[in-house]
Amino acid sequence: MSSPNHDVSDEQSNPPSQRHEAPSTTSQDASLSRNDGKQSLPNGTENGDAAENDFYDLTVVIPGEFSKEIPIVVSTREQVQDIRQSIVDQPDCLQYSCFHLEHNGERVSDFVELSEVPKIKSGSKLYLVEDPYTEKEARIHFIRIRELIGAAGDRADILHGLDAGLSLYDRTFSQSGFDIAPSTTIGSSVVDGVGGTTKSYELKEPAKIDTIIPPPEKSLPRPVKSLQLSSWNPPTHQLRSRGQLLYLEVITQEGQQFYITSSVSGFYVNRSGRDKFDPSPKDTNGGKHQAHSLLTLLQQLSPRFTEELHNLQEQTSRRDLLATCQLSNAIPASPWVVPKVDLNASHRADIVRTQESYLLSGSEGTESLRDWNEEFQSTRELPKESIADRVFRERLTSKLFADYNEAATRGAILVAKGEVAPLNPTEGRYAQIFVYNNVFYSFGADGVGTFATDGGDEAARVATGKDVTGVKAVNQLDIDGLFTPGTVVVDYLGKRIVAQSIVPGIFKQRDPSEHQIDYGGVEGKDTVAENEQFIEPFKELSKHLRVKKHPVWDKEHVRHDLEGSVETKGLLGTDGRKYVLDLYRTTPLDIEWLENYWTAREDGQGPIDEAKNYPHRMTVLRPELVDAFWRLKLQQYLNEKLSSTASDSQVSKIATNGDVTGEKEPSTNGELTTNHVNGDQTTNDDDDKKTEAEDNKKQEEQEKRNQLITDFDFALNPDVFSGQEPQTDQEKQELVEDEKDVRAACQYLTTDALPRILKDLKEGDVGFPMDGQSLVSLMHKRGINVRYLGKLAQLLSSDAAASRTHALRTLVVREMIARSFKHVVNRRLRDVATPAAPACLAHLLNCLLGASLNECPAAEKEEYLKSWYKDADWSFEQITPDSLRKDLIAQAQMRYRFDLKDDLPIITGHLQLLREVALKLGLQLTAKDYQFTKDQTSTQSNSPTGSDTNEKPQVNGTSTGASKKKKKGGHGHSPNRQDSSSSLRADHTFSADDVQNVIPIIKEASPRSVLADEAMEAGRISLAQDQRTLGNELLLESMSLHEQIYGILHPEVARAYYTLSTLFYSTNRELAADLAKKAVIVAERTIGVDSADTILSYLNLSLFSHNNNDTASALKYVSHALDLWKLVYGSLDHPDSITTINNAAVMLQTKKDYKNSRQWFEESLEICKRMSGPDSINTATLLFQLAQALALDHDSKGAVDKMREARDIFKKQLGPEDRNTKEAEQWFERLVTNAVSISKHLKELQDHRSKRLGGRVAHIVQQPQAGARAAEVLTLPGQGATTGMGRSRDLEDKRDIEKLLKYINGEEVGGTKTPKARNPNKRRGGQKA
């Protein structure tokens, strides 16, 4: 039972993650954060001294007429190339890109750690020495300068979507004033950034799509009008031999045009013109303008350049560094809605956009070609003995995976669009294979009939997704001697493309007597190969994956003993490395599901029985479920071996927590020791001996337990129920036993995992999901496949009356609808002509979400496209809302075994369903007020999205009433093609122009950093054992490792910041708040501006800001988080929103905004009643808090009523002797006495017609002190109830409680109720708590 006491600081403490690199801040931020943490360690002088030895204070000497010295603090473990990057990020070093560092007159290699530089120490000087340019260095320098001076313009990147890497925090909540709107909503008030005024805000206001739309940015200063490559490029052979590299042309702000030569010595103005070529230096104003850096040369040529560059830097420096630098180790998140822009005004002419491929890859284009497979495998072979080795290895691995994922995805998009020539053009469309940028591509379809008996294209599509999961698991295990190809799966425009690095020898034609595969199934199960070289690595792999060594039989009935599934293949590459391929069957089939819902196909035809029409046979169990089942079997095994009660108790703990190594035992022992010391501080020799004997016994039991765990051997055979034919009776019996184990695991899924997750969600033991993504993530963590969504919904239907259950069922059904729609769209979009994709998507969205507005939507037809794409599929034009509804019902029944007939006609939460669909398909839609129903308002405000924020509140984000405002004319911007198109299709919810972009959905196999995770876990354990100094050091080390290995901007770093902020909160609140802010920005840019992780990060930041006495900012963050909550979930009727709203009420109470605080407490109580029931302990807790809020708001009668309800519930649920019940009783009696005193004196004042209500009453009102802290005001049951009520005993009324209540209600004075003390001018007495 949780105590009714609730401190705002406790919320969310346990949560449920380009073309060329921008300047990295990893080393700087890591060193700064470590220094901050070092200074804050309590009594940590020794650790602080140790930490100081890991950092050097160096001085970098900058060359020039006025030599400068720049101090820097760097880690000794940083490479010199990282220090170079830190130097060029300095404001005084922006012009440098081609240089090296020297120490003591000797050149320092860029690829060694700082600690390896001879004779370097803290206080040493590094000299920056300019190098001669090469063509590559000149191109890089040109790109860098264009970026620095804002001349790059906008890009149309095929991989990154519109507004990719957006951060709303920086645009909306920046403390620097950069592009901040005049006022910011904070819940039930709006705090103006200047005047501090407030205005009303409705908690039940519907979701607004402009919540995730950034305010418009101001135009940035432009130091030059144009900077581009000259048409005189490239230099001739003669000029190239003289050291000339590039020719540039620039137009300054003064309107002057200069032609510039880039040579090995730098840049200078030449004599060329538009029609004349002369690359020799030109005399300008009596001198020759030349400089090593292009930036310096531009400063010489343009008087306004320096001023405009300073203004540009000043304006951009106001933004948070995390929000401005480009992502180098992760693909940025793209929002699903983007602002409508005037393309005619926003698209700037920039010829360099077409020249970037040359600038990045050179004239031959060979600089971008990389041998991906060799890089992957050589990185895996790097040493990992020392910590430094592991850091370097994992860092390089993270960067390599990021580069490969980006390159592979770019190629996959081109393959999907048909812009890459196939290697086998004579084959069928989906049997074709491609090679682009040294990456091998194929379609996730059964082009050659490999999965003909398992479901064809459906089975092939699922197998590719499972293969990525298997590759990721192998990469995470990092088994010596076993290698995997780089693997990425990309879903784009209905097609699934598999991208793999090219394994040496995979295309080699072997002798007819040799198999193409060296281990495992060669051609399905008909031919099986064995190779002794693969036995040991496969044995190690199977040990971790819980795969049992088992026999299989080929078509000749010859037995082969394999360490893995027959589908998992081993290939000996021509480079001598052992590769593992086809990892889609590392776990057994879910036979229970197959027997109920699958029938074998013949000749590719579907089964007649619709009850068994599941689309494929690839229904494997999740690895998480296999692990959970393994722990269950371990528990049963230990229960058999251990007889003592203590051992059984410990076994249960092991099985529950998944801790089978006994590593957490010291924490328990420490807790027992603490209790012993606190409980009895007098010991004698007998007690010491007894304790020592008990410790020895426990140690023996622990050793015995550890030995049993080591001896435990249980694994599953992944090839059962897949057509194996044993030959002997012993083999048959062994197969029967294997089948029994697999069937038990399948039954464990349905009889244990499913009911347990429902139980935990109903009882609030786990975080309640906000959207489909968080729901599926929770299911996967519990080992539950998505195909069981229908089973979840059916289990929830039996208890649909409860609001908590209804909320979960709504999420489950919405997820099934969205996924069913995704399958329908992918099938229709697969063969649609690319230019017709927006029209297809808009029409299908109209049939799904716009049928209430237009029952017969028509697809936008462009007949000229049909004449050009005669082979394309145009059948989407014939789809109607009725036919789509039938397809969705069929898909849900087939895939999830759930009937949507009763749920589809009453779709609610149109905006939320639209978001789910857009995220699953990669859509980027125009942000506007979409009309889903005829009754919905069509007014548009002057907001950036054109949505009306004053709609009638609706729970699901849609409005059914008339609008409060007339439609306003004009948009304030020039009309474009979208406007005219929308006006012609005003009776349709969506138009083709609303689909602004489609981004790829990526599944990749990059591993997590083991080293960073180990450091964080060690820090957790140390803090749990009250070793704060060591724990802080380990957590700071973990943070530094996360930043070094992943880079600052990465989903894993966002999650690490979030976790570390909660762990640091108890020891360093300022650092915790800073980490929480970083978590918000990084999560927005890498996970999504409206993801569940981002919402939790905002809530975390609000709590830390409030406890750091910045309540105004905290309320802004809470407000934004709740707006996101509405957009994602549909309303605030969510089980987890209760705590958030309650915390916001406490924050408002701290600001003495008692009226609004009371409203938030009331809203929290109403939601709690619906979710937990009117008689739950949670409801009683909130009633208790509301009673205090009512007392602060001068509503004595209401306070008494609510406290009485709280007392009665506590008494009913916990009994009259419980501490909470007694505390509520004490508060109730004092509130009654207080209310009687108020009523008595108010009546006397009225009878005597004396003074107006005011100061005389003030000293009688016994309420908590106005200046009391929130924690003091909210003293709840179990903490003592004297705060704010210290003088109540002096005014105690001797009548019993019933008579006092009648007096308060006015029944003792002829039934006339006394007025409540609500004079707003009244001031409370100066009582102290």
Side-chain angles (χ1 to χ4, degrees), residues 827-871:
R827 188 175 71 244
R828 296 292 182 180
L829 202 60
R830 181 175 174 178
D831 296 316
V832 166
T834 301
C840 173
L841 289 165
H843 180 61
L844 292 172
L845 287 173
N846 281 325
C847 293
L848 175 69
L849 296 170
S852 298
L853 179 67
N854 187 337
E855 297 179 358
C856 300
E860 296 179 57
K861 299 181 180 180
E862 298 185 15
E863 297 298 335
Y864 79 94
L865 287 176
K866 292 185 178 180
S867 63
W868 290 103
Y869 296 94
K870 295 181 181 179
D871 296 334

Side-chain angles (χ1 to χ4, degrees), residues 1259-1280:
H1259 73 277
I1260 300 173
V1261 181
Q1262 304 300 317
Q1263 295 175 339
Q1265 182 181 352
R1269 293 171 56 249
E1272 295 172 342
V1273 172
L1274 295 183
T1275 306
L1276 299 183
Q1279 287 194 336

Side-chain angles (χ1 to χ4, degrees), residues 1086-1097:
T1086 61
I1087 305 175
V1089 291
D1090 60 347
S1091 67
D1093 288 333
T1094 301
I1095 295 175
L1096 293 176
S1097 297

Side-chain angles (χ1 to χ4, degrees), residues 772-790:
Q773 187 177 10
S774 54
L775 170 66
V776 171
S777 177
L778 177 61
M779 292 174 61
H780 284 173
K781 288 178 181 177
R782 298 297 186 94
I784 302 172
N785 303 83
V786 171
R787 60 178 174 270
Y788 283 94
L789 281 170

Side-chain angles (χ1 to χ4, degrees), residues 931-945:
Q931 301 176 43
F932 299 108
T933 63
K934 293 180 180 179
D935 296 333
Q936 188 175 356
T937 61
S938 60
T939 59
Q940 294 183 345
S941 67
N942 290 327
S943 64
T945 63

